[in-house]
Amino acid sequence: MTEMPFEHGLVLACILFALGLIGLLVRRNLLFMLMSVEIMLNAAALAFIVGGARWAQADGQIMFIFILTLTAAEVSVALGLILQLYSHLQTLDADAADTLSG
């Protein structure tokens, strides 16, 4: 089986990161924004995996595991906050959170 070139993996990671960033900046729905952040984190994890494979080190895989645990914690906290916001405002629009006060 042939290996994927280093540059191809990094280009894929950059494209995924750019798509996540565009999704984060364009969308106003909190769930779509959360998914965009997840795409960006997966792109960073892919870059670590590609880098670790390039230099034959296990560091990329270790960082991937750390990113997965960070992602799981971030999703659980963010979904809890989104559910609370939805129960207060009955919408998932990010601009509606401006109406909340102290």
Side-chain angles (χ1 to χ4, degrees):
M1 196 158 106
T2 62
E3 286 188 20
M4 181 175 67
F6 177 68
E7 294 82 14
H8 292 184
L10 285 183
V11 167
L12 178 61
C14 288
I15 290 171
L16 281 175
F17 192 86
L19 286 174
L21 184 63
I22 290 169
L24 184 68
L25 295 174
V26 171
R27 296 289 185 156
R28 295 287 83 197
N29 188 326
L30 290 174
L31 285 177
F32 284 114
M33 292 171 74
L34 179 63
M35 287 190 293
S36 296
V37 169
E38 298 302 320
I39 290 172
M40 291 169 64
L41 284 171
N42 283 331
L46 177 64
F48 277 116
I49 289 289
V50 170
R54 167 75 166 96
W55 289 291
Q57 297 287 325
D59 298 342
Q61 295 173 1
I62 293 169
M63 287 304 297
F64 178 74
I65 292 172
F66 286 150
I67 289 173
L68 280 181
T69 56
L70 173 78
T71 302
E74 182 248 339
V75 164
S76 63
V77 171
L79 284 178
L81 290 172
I82 288 172
L83 285 173
Q84 284 296 326
L85 188 67
Y86 182 76
S87 69
H88 264 35
L89 301 176
Q90 301 301 320
T91 184
L92 290 177
D93 188 27
D95 293 331
D98 290 342
T99 61
L100 295 175
S101 61

